[in-house]
Amino acid sequence: AVSIVSSAAVTVKFQSATTDISSGKPIAATGGFVLPMNEHGWFQTAVGEALNVNLSGTANVGCDVVWVAAS
């Protein structure tokens, strides 16, 4: 699950290190979105790589993530 809120218009995408693992999600100023819990997950990083949130510009962005380590 993910929730994101942004203070300014920005496009958000998720990355495994520097590799895109989601499409760009445009957010309007003071907008945001929620990806509810999904038993299959929304995206997956490569083993040992960081989950990064990439922004198209400067904005104050709050992001909460629920993650599960794969076995």
Side-chain angles (χ1 to χ4, degrees):
V2 174
S3 67
I4 292 185
V5 177
S6 180
S7 65
V10 67
T11 298
V12 174
K13 64 183 170 180
F14 295 91
Q15 297 178 316
S16 176
T18 58
T19 302
D20 294 346
I21 55 175
S22 78
S23 60
K25 315 276 189 247
I27 301 175
T30 67
F33 64 86
V34 172
L35 297 176
M37 206 58 171
N38 176 347
E39 68 178 286
H40 303 290
W42 290 102
F43 33 76
Q44 182 174 343
T45 62
V47 174
E49 288 192 347
L51 171 63
N52 291 318
V53 179
N54 180 276
L55 307 176
S56 64
T58 303
N60 291 320
V61 174
C63 179
D64 297 303
V65 177
V66 174
W67 62 275
V68 176
S71 53

